[in-house]
């Protein structure tokens, strides 16, 4: 079973195992998660803070005594500086001397064991997620080679590569990040539809097909009412794009977009 504590531990294990001792802690994690652009480090900060807040909330709802909760809070204490945006400037070497000590990571595992069976996270089917992530990378490479307006190229590349990163490293992101990125991709296509028959139209149809597959994965791991309503509304709009593709879009396998 997966928990918020195990998710954070897996993220920090990446930095703990790194031999690039002089490299920035955030940069090492960003590169592992395949995050791109100037905002990559900020995204790592957001992920770390989100996971820490999730752990704190999960501890509060555990059906255990307050004494046990206090014990778990102590296990989380080495990472509290991250919530105050301290230590984030550190190199790997410095981080290992502070919040990446072996005993601190053991503390996260103790929290994980306490949460297991009580507050768990559903994970994506790995084979489906990996296949879909590769399809997003394939179409990203197509976008890079097409003669598109630069602003559109940047927007589409940011979305497609971000989707691939989330699907490849779902343990670090979770359903909220997956939903947010999917809805951003869907919104960009719905608000600015391309001319029919253009190269952009074909790319949009392929992206729409992939997004429908991504929405299906999200529905499988998070069936909360708000997400289901959002998924249904957005999927219906995306299906229109796929249907408009005509014979070239019929029977298309979302996992094989870009293959020849």
């Amino acid at each position: 079973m997966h928990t918020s504590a195990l998710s954070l531990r897996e993220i920090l294990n990446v930095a703990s195992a790194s031999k690039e001792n002089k490299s920035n802690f955030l940069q090492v994690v960003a590169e592992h998660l395949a995050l791109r652009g100037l905002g990559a480090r900020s995204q790592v900060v957001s992920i770390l803070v989100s996971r820490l807040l999730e752990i704190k909330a999960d501890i509060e709802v555990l059906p255990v005594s307050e004494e046990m909760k206090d014990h778990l809070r102590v296990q989380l204490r080495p990472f509290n500086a991250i919530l105050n945006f301290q230590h984030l400037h550190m190199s790997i070497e410095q981080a290992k001397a502070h919040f990446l000590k072996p005993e601190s990571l053991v503390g996260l595992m103790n929290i994980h064991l306490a949460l297991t069976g009580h507050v768990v996270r559903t994970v994506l089917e790995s084979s489906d997620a990996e296949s879909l992530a590769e399809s997003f990378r394939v179409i990203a490479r197509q976008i890079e080679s097409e003669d598109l307006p630069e602003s559109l190229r940047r927007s589409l590349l940011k979305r497609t590569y971000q989707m691939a990163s989330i699907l490849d490293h779902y343990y670090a992101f979770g359903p909220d990040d997956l939903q947010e990125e999917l809805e951003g991709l869907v919104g960009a296509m719905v608000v600015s539809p391309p001319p029919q028959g253009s190269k952009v139209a074909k790319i949009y149809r392929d992206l729409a097909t992939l997004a429908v597959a991504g929405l299906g994965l999200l529905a499988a791991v998070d069936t909360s009412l708000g997400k289901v309503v959002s998924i249904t509304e957005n999927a219906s709009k995306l299906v229109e794009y796929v249907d408009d593709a005509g014979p070239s879009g019929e029977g298309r396998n979302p996992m094989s977009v870009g293959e020849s």
Side-chain angles (χ1 to χ4, degrees):
M1 293 184 178
H2 215 84
T3 67
S4 53
L6 183 59
S7 175
L8 180 60
R9 189 176 190 274
E10 289 180 350
I11 297 169
L12 296 179
N13 276 346
V14 171
S16 179
S18 175
K19 304 301 182 183
E20 301 176 33
N21 287 331
K22 301 304 180 182
S23 296
N24 177 266
F25 159 71
L26 293 178
Q27 187 62 36
V28 169
V29 177
E31 290 176 359
H32 175 79
L33 298 178
L35 297 174
R36 298 159 57 98
L38 297 176
R41 293 188 186 186
S42 297
Q43 284 185 269
V44 175
V45 174
S46 178
I47 291 169
L48 293 174
V49 170
S50 294
R51 296 294 79 79
L52 280 165
L53 292 176
E54 187 179 3
I55 294 169
K56 287 178 174 287
D58 289 347
I59 290 173
E60 293 306 312
V61 299
L62 274 175
V64 297
S65 67
E66 194 63 27
E67 182 179 2
M68 175 57 72
K69 290 181 181 180
D70 283 338
H71 172 70
L72 296 175
R73 294 182 188 114
V74 170
Q75 303 286 302
L76 196 60
R77 190 174 295 164
F79 310 102
N80 282 342
I82 294 176
L83 292 175
N84 298 323
F85 304 106
Q86 300 173 16
H87 297 347
L88 297 177
H89 64 285
M90 289 183 172
S91 66
I92 290 294
E93 184 176 50
Q94 292 170 326
K96 288 179 179 179
H98 289 79
F99 60 94
L100 284 185
K101 293 179 179 179
E103 57 266 32
S104 299
L105 298 178
V106 170
L108 281 179
M109 181 56 69
N110 292 336
I111 298 174
H112 161 66
L113 294 174
L115 294 176
T116 299
H118 299 290
V119 190
V120 297
R121 303 175 67 192
T122 306
V123 296
L124 295 176
E125 181 63 38
S126 60
S127 59
D128 290 343
E130 290 170 5
S131 181
L132 190 56
E134 178 57 26
S135 292
F136 271 106
R137 282 190 290 269
V138 167
I139 202 168
R141 290 192 289 270
Q142 292 176 354
I143 292 169
E144 288 176 334
S145 65
E146 292 290 351
D147 183 19
L148 302 173
E150 189 56 32
S151 60
L152 178 60
R153 182 198 305 278
R154 286 198 303 268
S155 177
L156 292 179
L157 285 177
K158 177 183 177 182
R159 295 294 184 185
T160 50
Y161 277 121
Q162 183 75 0
M163 277 300 307
S165 297
I166 292 174
L167 290 165
D168 275 336
H169 305 282
Y170 183 77
Y171 70 89
F173 291 91
D176 290 338
D177 288 316
L178 178 56
Q179 182 197 14
E180 181 179 348
E181 199 59 37
L182 277 168
E183 291 188 336
L185 176 61
V186 172
M189 292 189 291
V190 171
V191 171
S192 302
Q196 287 297 318
S198 67
K199 290 182 178 180
V200 182
K202 181 183 182 303
I203 289 174
Y204 270 44
R205 288 195 297 270
D206 288 347
L207 280 174
T209 305
L210 294 181
V212 168
L215 290 167
L217 290 181
L218 179 59
V221 298
D222 196 319
T223 57
S224 63
L225 178 60
K227 288 185 173 60
V228 169
V229 171
S230 178
I231 289 168
T232 301
E233 293 175 348
N234 287 329
S236 64
K237 295 175 183 176
L238 284 172
V239 168
E240 294 177 9
Y241 282 98
V242 178
D243 288 344
D244 286 345
S248 63
E250 292 177 3
R252 187 185 297 271
N253 182 350
M255 300 302 185
S256 60
V257 170
E259 295 179 0
S260 57

